[in-house]
Amino acid sequence: MKELRILTPNGMLGYGFPIKWFKRALSMDPHVIAVDSGSTDSGPHKLAMGVMTCSKEAYTKDISLLLEAIAEKKIPLLISSAGGAGTNAQVDTFINIIKKISREKGYHFKIATIYSEIDKSIIKEKLKKGQIAPCGPVEHLSEKEVDLATTIVAQMGVEPIVKVLKENDIDIVIAGRSYDPVTIAALPIKEGFDPGLAWHMGKIMECGALCAEPAGKVMFGTIRDDHFILEPGSLDERCTTWSVAAHTLYEKSHPYLLPGPGGILDLSNTSFEQIDDRRVKISGSKFNPSDKYTVKLEGAKKVGFRSIFIAGARDPIFIDHIDDVLARVTEDVKDYFKDIPEDQYQMIYHVYGKNGVMAELEPIKNFMPLELCIILEVAASTQELATAICSRARTELLHCPYEGRIGTAGNIALPFTPLEIPLGEVCAFNVYHLMEIDDPVNLFPVNIMEV
């Protein structure tokens, strides 16, 4: 192939996309539609609890549009990190959505599922061999934490998808947890295009048209022997050398080097060229294979229960004393529950309007907010304890005295009932590590089916 054309409808399946511009991009005759569905950005809850990032209805809407497109164009559809966390159950949920739509519309597809959950015995054996290391500033992994994780997945590289595409005439691939650029990079690598260009194109396009001005959703990429070209699907958007180069720095720990499964993407000699008002040509990106192939493990555990209250404050005198008030409320609550060890619960205030976003890192200190939104989250060993502590703190904050106080009916306004809102189980990532593997394919089971 002299060129390969890829359509990405958005940066996250389930988030929706503009149908008008998707159909415009579809008219440009892509060879494949590829989209990612996963992220750890929204925290550990979906992995620990088995819930999906978006609603089933949202996924059904997006997938329905994509199935219609591939049925019309007779091109494959590649979806990675199904459901957000990419668990086996979330892959199966996507399959069930496709089956239901196919029955209703009369479609017939050959589908490959690729699963990414890792058996804990494999991880423990790798631990004993010293083949697991932290990914970033996290603690070394222990067997205890492996056991505490409800589910552990590994981010697959392109190899499982490439193998499936080489050995089967597949219409749809639904993959479990994957390295985000995988669906975009897989077909170019399978067809022999430069892996450095394929990975770099994948790194940008997996976010849809976030690299455009203004940022959008639908992105169209064309890869050739020594470069690739990016063009947003919407005629209201444009790619520029600045916008594409800037997005190349997105979610990276180094400006030029991007490690991933099987190697490192080297962008030190990459060039960006504006070829017309809306398109950018990228070249020079290189992929350097690693001596050892590693995959990132992701696991999460349940650590307790959370309750919150949400309050508003408008009294300028109260606002001026908010730090002292919250300190007093905290001490009063601790004293009231002094029979409970302090390691059994945690109180965290979020004071929006003052420093609720950046907390102690907020650089602007001396200003007077017009109003505050105060959220207290209490995490505890049981839901009942979390709610009880949250309730005690709320009533104390409601009536806490402070210097210059005039109004005594209540310091805060409470917009919701129940006043204490139980949020259920609290989760934490406890596996975020790199594991050396000998074979990047065999770790990820494949199932072929027709629907």
Side-chain angles (χ1 to χ4, degrees), residues 268-423:
S268 56
N269 292 311
T270 299
S271 65
F272 303 85
E273 178 186 348
Q274 195 80 44
I275 58 176
D276 58 30
D277 287 346
R278 303 182 61 255
R279 297 185 298 163
V280 170
K281 173 183 173 182
I282 301 95
S283 60
S285 309
K286 299 297 180 184
F287 182 76
N288 300 317
S290 301
D291 294 334
K292 297 178 180 179
Y293 196 107
T294 60
V295 292
K296 189 176 80 166
L297 299 175
E298 295 171 353
K301 62 181 179 181
K302 303 172 185 178
V303 296
F305 295 82
R306 179 187 286 121
S307 293
I308 66 170
F309 72 71
I310 302 173
R314 180 63 179 79
D315 184 337
I317 305 173
F318 174 81
I319 291 173
D320 193 41
H321 291 83
I322 188 62
D323 291 339
D324 293 336
V325 169
L326 295 182
R328 175 168 177 166
V329 168
T330 301
E331 287 306 311
D332 286 350
V333 170
K334 288 182 177 180
D335 182 65
Y336 187 77
F337 289 100
K338 60 185 177 184
D339 57 318
I340 299 173
E342 289 189 16
D343 62 359
Q344 294 296 303
Y345 67 93
Q346 187 178 15
M347 300 172 61
I348 304 173
Y349 292 99
H350 306 274
V351 186
Y352 293 95
K354 181 178 183 291
N355 60 0
V357 175
M358 297 186 68
E360 67 276 1
L361 298 178
E362 173 56 57
I364 302 174
K365 305 293 184 182
N366 300 317
F367 72 100
M368 184 65 176
L370 177 67
E371 59 185 13
L372 299 176
C373 175
I374 304 164
I375 300 176
L376 171 65
E377 63 167 303
V378 178
S381 53
T382 68
Q383 188 72 73
E384 293 77 13
L385 179 59
T387 301
I389 294 172
C390 191
S391 176
R392 181 69 184 88
R394 175 188 59 79
T395 56
E396 188 62 31
L397 181 62
L398 182 65
H399 299 294
C400 181
Y402 53 89
E403 183 180 352
R405 184 184 188 198
I406 297 174
T408 58
N411 301 325
I412 53 176
L414 298 150
F416 301 114
T417 56
L419 301 174
E420 289 77 45
I421 306 169
L423 295 182

Side-chain angles (χ1 to χ4, degrees), residues 8-9 35 46 52 54 64 92 148 186-187 208 213 232 237 240 287 293 300 304 306 380 389 407 416 422 424 436:
T8 298
V35 62
K46 60 180 179 287
M52 297 193 295
C54 301
S64 178
D92 291 340
L148 287 172
L187 191 57
E213 295 181 350
E237 300 157 9
T240 70
F287 182 76
Y293 196 107
R306 179 187 286 121
I389 294 172
F416 301 114
E436 297 176 19

Side-chain angles (χ1 to χ4, degrees), residues 137-311:
V138 297
E139 299 291 330
H140 285 278
L141 189 59
S142 66
E143 287 195 10
K144 177 183 177 182
E145 291 300 329
V146 172
D147 287 333
L148 287 172
T150 60
T151 305
I152 300 176
V153 296
Q155 283 193 1
M156 69 182 77
V158 294
E159 292 84 358
I161 298 179
V162 168
K163 185 174 187 292
V164 163
L165 294 176
K166 281 183 176 180
E167 297 178 355
N168 303 272
D169 184 17
I170 292 294
D171 299 306
I172 302 171
V173 175
I174 305 295
R177 189 65 172 119
S178 310
Y179 183 46
D180 289 354
V182 156
T183 54
I184 290 98
L187 191 57
I189 290 175
K190 181 247 181 187
E191 295 296 336
F193 288 91
D194 187 303
L197 296 175
W199 279 118
H200 191 188
M201 185 168 69
K203 176 66 180 71
I204 299 173
M205 287 185 65
E206 58 101 352
C207 293
L210 197 58
C211 67
E213 295 181 350
K217 294 197 172 183
V218 182
M219 179 57 67
F220 196 89
T222 302
I223 187 168
R224 295 172 180 150
D225 287 342
D226 61 353
H227 68 275
F228 64 93
I229 295 171
L230 297 178
E231 175 184 356
S234 170
L235 293 176
D236 296 330
E237 300 157 9
R238 60 193 294 261
C239 283
T240 70
T241 53
W242 285 103
S243 67
V244 175
H247 191 73
T248 293
L249 300 175
Y250 180 69
E251 292 183 333
K252 291 178 62 182
S253 57
H254 190 284
Y256 301 139
L257 303 178
L258 179 62
I264 297 175
L265 179 61
D266 184 352
L267 306 176
S268 56
N269 292 311
T270 299
S271 65
F272 303 85
E273 178 186 348
Q274 195 80 44
I275 58 176
D276 58 30
D277 287 346
R278 303 182 61 255
R279 297 185 298 163
V280 170
K281 173 183 173 182
I282 301 95
S283 60
S285 309
K286 299 297 180 184
F287 182 76
N288 300 317
S290 301
D291 294 334
K292 297 178 180 179
Y293 196 107
T294 60
V295 292
K296 189 176 80 166
L297 299 175
E298 295 171 353
K301 62 181 179 181
K302 303 172 185 178
V303 296
F305 295 82
R306 179 187 286 121
S307 293
I308 66 170
F309 72 71
I310 302 173

Side-chain angles (χ1 to χ4, degrees), residues 7-18 22 33-43 46 51-55 57-63 65-66 77-86 90 94 155 175-181 183-184 202-211 216-219 247 250-251 298:
L7 168 57
T8 298
N10 58 13
M12 180 71 73
L13 188 67
Y15 279 15
F17 49 87
F22 173 72
I33 297 175
V35 62
D36 184 51
S37 182
S39 176
T40 57
D41 290 355
S42 55
K46 60 180 179 287
V51 298
M52 297 193 295
T53 300
C54 301
S55 68
E57 291 75 16
Y59 288 126
T60 299
K61 176 63 175 178
D62 277 11
I63 291 173
L65 293 168
L66 299 183
L77 168 64
L78 309 180
I79 298 175
S80 58
S81 296
Q90 291 172 349
F94 273 31
Q155 283 193 1
R177 189 65 172 119
S178 310
Y179 183 46
D180 289 354
T183 54
I184 290 98
K203 176 66 180 71
I204 299 173
M205 287 185 65
E206 58 101 352
C207 293
L210 197 58
C211 67
K217 294 197 172 183
V218 182
M219 179 57 67
H247 191 73
Y250 180 69
E251 292 183 333
E298 295 171 353

